[in-house]
Amino acid sequence: MSTSWVVVPTCLPLVRRRCHTCGSEFFRPSGKFRVNANHKLLDAWLLVLCNGCGETAKLTLLERTNVRDIPSTLLDRLHGNDSDLTAELLQDPLVQRRSRVTLDWGDAWRLDTGGWDHLDREVIDVSVRFAARIPIRPARLIAEGCGLSRAGVERLITEGKVVSMVRLGSPLSGDFTFTLKR
Ligand SMILES: [Zn+2]
């Protein structure tokens, strides 16, 4: 019998970026966008605030893009400071690369295991799905989902009692499956 777990974001992640004013390493999403129109060309940014001093920084979304090339639904969402759009764009690898930022999910996620029935079984097959691209070590998820200590999971891995196609000790943000035999 197979069990499904889901890694779910609980709030927006922090943006890792050095503040030029106070030296803080983290910014938080402001929930706002800025759109500048110059004739037919449009620039758009996602605004983030320094965790230390509150300074605003801009993450580039659109650069001198012709208005005709931008879906009107996207424009509406930018103008309306759509909160789901903030979450989507922060996770966009292109947006991260362009502004040279990475995300820090810290405790901004939880693991939904759909109950604890699996704990009674000798062998469990689990498929883990990520509702957002949140890099986490599978070993940490297994510890949390099975109510084990990190050392306990490490021991099961060493003893070959946890089997998976992925590297359990390296951060991963994509779906994977594993089998645990006690
Ligand atoms: Zn600052």
Side-chain angles (χ1 to χ4, degrees):
M1 197 172 134
S2 158
T3 305
S4 300
W5 293 355
V6 190
V7 176
V8 190
T10 51
C11 59
L12 291 174
L14 289 177
V15 174
R16 203 180 277 121
R17 173 193 172 118
R18 176 170 278 279
C19 174
H20 295 305
T21 307
C22 76
S24 162
E25 302 275 349
F26 294 105
F27 284 72
R28 62 181 184 280
S30 71
K32 291 198 164 63
F33 298 98
R34 184 174 296 160
V35 181
N36 252 358
N38 190 349
H39 300 292
K40 293 270 178 234
L41 299 179
L42 234 142
D43 290 293
W45 301 273
L46 196 165
L47 304 183
V48 293
L49 306 172
C50 172
N51 249 6
C53 67
E55 178 88 352
T56 303
K58 302 186 291 188
L59 309 187
T60 303
L61 304 172
L62 299 169
E63 258 175 328
R64 312 195 128 266
T65 307
N66 198 306
V67 177
R68 276 189 318 229
D69 298 332
I70 308 168
S72 62
T73 46
L74 175 61
L75 271 182
D76 288 346
R77 295 177 80 190
L78 287 170
H79 284 300
N81 292 316
D82 185 314
S83 60
D84 291 340
L85 187 62
T86 296
E88 281 170 36
L89 292 173
L90 276 177
Q91 290 177 61
D92 186 332
L94 192 65
V95 172
Q96 293 179 23
R97 217 166 31 238
R98 210 184 262 152
S99 296
R100 289 190 212 92
V101 297
T102 53
L103 300 182
D104 187 307
W105 285 91
D107 296 321
W109 59 272
R110 66 162 196 274
L111 179 66
D112 278 352
T113 58
W116 298 97
D117 295 348
H118 59 278
L119 293 183
D120 301 333
R121 300 204 294 269
E122 257 174 47
V123 179
I124 56 170
D125 286 309
V126 180
S127 66
V128 184
R129 193 171 64 77
F130 285 75
R133 279 189 290 269
I134 305 174
I136 309 169
R137 287 183 181 78
R140 180 171 173 195
L141 292 174
I142 295 168
E144 194 158 321
C146 294
L148 297 165
S149 66
R150 289 294 299 277
V153 172
E154 295 302 336
R155 195 164 53 239
L156 289 172
I157 292 172
T158 312
E159 291 169 356
K161 291 180 176 168
V162 184
V163 179
S164 178
M165 296 290 282
V166 300
R167 291 163 60 100
L168 298 168
S170 311
L172 190 80
S173 56
D175 302 356
F176 69 97
T177 59
F178 71 90
T179 301
L180 171 66
K181 296 173 193 150
R182 290 175 211 260

